[in-house]
Amino acid sequence: VWLIAPLVSMAVLTEATGLPGSCANLSSWQTSTLVEQSQVGAVPLFLFRGPAPTTDAHLTFQYSLLIDCMHDLAPSAFPSPEHLVPIVDLNLQYTGSSGDLQDILTELDFFSNHSGTGQMVHWQTFGNHGPDPDTMAPEARAAMALAMPEWDCDSMAARTSQLRGMMQTEPGCPLCAGAPPAIALYMHCMGGIDRTGQMMGGYVLRYLGWSFKQVIAWNSQIAGRAIEPYSFTALKWFCYWLQQAERRTDLDCTAPNAPPLDVLV
C-alpha cells in the first residue's frame, strides 16, 4: 500500500504551527522536507531531504536532533523521538571538498560505532557541466538524452531507480531486523539545496508524477532561490532522458530556471 505524503517543507510547517520545531536547530533547517511515505509489511518508510546533519564544524553527527526533526515534519505518522529509528543516510557530498569530506568521515564513523542506528550510502554528486539541452538541435538532444546513462557521472537513472527500490524494500532487510518502528531515508548534500534538489528532483519527476516546472518550483520554494546551474542542467537532461527512454509525455522539460512558485498551487 502506497501512501504519498504531501510535499511540505519545514518553512510551511512552521508557518502553519507557529512553532520552529527541532529542525530549527539544524544548519539550513528550512530545507528539511518530507518527500514520501510508504508502508512495506509492518514497517513504515519515510523519505526526507535536508541539509548535512552534522555540526557546523562537521565533527558530530546529530542523530537525535535529526530524529526529532523528522518527527516534527511528520508528527502524525513518524515514531516519537524516544524510539530508535534506523536511518539510511544518502550522502551526496564530494570528497574533493574539505567540509564535505569531513561530513562523510563523521557520518561513516557514527554508523560504524552506533549499532542499530542505520547506514550511510555515498552517492557523490557533481551536477552536469555540459551544454544546456535546450541549446541543441532536437535530434542531437534526443540522441544525447537517450545515451545519458552512459555519460552521466551522477548516475541519475540508476540512483533514482535504487532509491525507489529502497522505498519498496522487502521486510527482512538488514535494517528491518528487530521490527523497528520505522525506517527513515535521508538524502542530503551540504545545504540540502543544489545537489539534493537535483537528485531528489529526479526521483520526484520520475516516480511521483510531477512535471518539470513543478519540480523546479518546488526546489526554488525550498531553497528560496533557483538551484545552481550545474544541478539544474543535470536535472533538465534527466527530464529529457525520461522523455526518450520512458516515453514520458507529461514533463515539459523546457521550463525556465526559476518559474513562478504558484506553479505548485
Side-chain angles (χ1 to χ4, degrees):
V1 177
W2 283 92
L3 304 172
I4 306 302
L7 301 175
V8 54
S9 70
M10 190 60 202
V12 173
L13 179 66
T14 300
E15 182 178 0
T17 63
L19 299 172
S22 297
C23 299
N25 296 314
L26 289 170
S27 176
S28 303
W29 64 271
Q30 68 274 13
T31 68
S32 302
T33 306
L34 172 65
V35 178
E36 187 181 21
Q37 179 184 339
S38 68
Q39 182 84 27
V40 179
V43 180
L45 286 84
F46 297 83
L47 176 60
F48 298 91
R49 61 177 282 185
T54 56
T55 59
D56 289 338
H58 311 285
L59 297 176
T60 303
F61 184 79
Q62 302 180 95
Y63 172 84
S64 297
L65 182 58
L66 185 58
I67 292 296
D68 289 348
C69 176
M70 290 173 175
H71 178 71
D72 287 341
L73 290 170
S76 64
F78 197 80
S80 54
E82 66 268 16
H83 290 94
L84 180 67
V85 176
I87 295 174
V88 180
D89 175 19
L90 299 162
N91 185 313
L92 307 181
Q93 293 176 273
Y94 169 51
T95 57
S97 161
S98 59
D100 276 6
L101 178 59
Q102 186 58 61
D103 281 340
I104 293 165
L105 296 174
T106 294
E107 291 169 25
L108 285 171
D109 180 71
F110 175 84
F111 289 114
S112 66
N113 288 288
H114 296 83
S115 177
T117 57
Q119 65 186 61
M120 193 191 90
V121 176
H122 187 213
W123 286 347
Q124 187 165 231
T125 301
F126 303 93
N128 186 290
H129 294 232
D132 183 330
D134 289 339
T135 64
M136 301 176 66
E139 297 81 3
R141 179 178 63 222
M144 188 168 176
L146 190 59
M148 186 176 181
E150 300 173 16
W151 54 258
D152 176 24
C153 61
D154 294 336
S155 302
M156 289 188 66
R159 288 174 177 174
T160 53
S161 177
Q162 290 168 28
L163 181 54
R164 189 62 164 177
M166 292 178 190
M167 289 299 291
Q168 297 174 324
T169 188
E170 292 296 327
C173 67
L175 290 182
C176 296
I183 294 175
L185 286 76
Y186 184 77
M187 181 176 286
H188 71 89
C189 50
M190 179 73 78
I193 295 173
D194 298 310
R195 291 167 289 183
T196 304
Q198 170 193 331
M199 196 63 67
M200 193 63 80
Y203 178 82
V204 170
L205 191 67
R206 189 176 188 180
Y207 293 113
L208 299 191
W210 284 41
S211 71
F212 188 66
K213 286 183 179 179
Q214 287 175 313
V215 171
I216 294 303
W218 177 51
N219 278 331
S220 297
Q221 182 189 61
I222 290 170
R225 60 167 175 79
I227 63 173
E228 57 85 21
Y230 297 144
S231 296
F232 175 78
T233 300
L235 187 52
K236 180 175 277 194
W237 270 116
F238 186 66
C239 183
Y240 280 113
W241 177 79
L242 288 172
Q243 280 191 342
Q244 295 298 316
E246 300 192 352
R247 302 300 182 189
R248 292 282 297 276
T249 60
D250 58 330
L251 300 176
D252 187 15
C253 301
T254 60
N257 199 352
L261 295 184
D262 61 9
V263 171
L264 284 170
V265 176

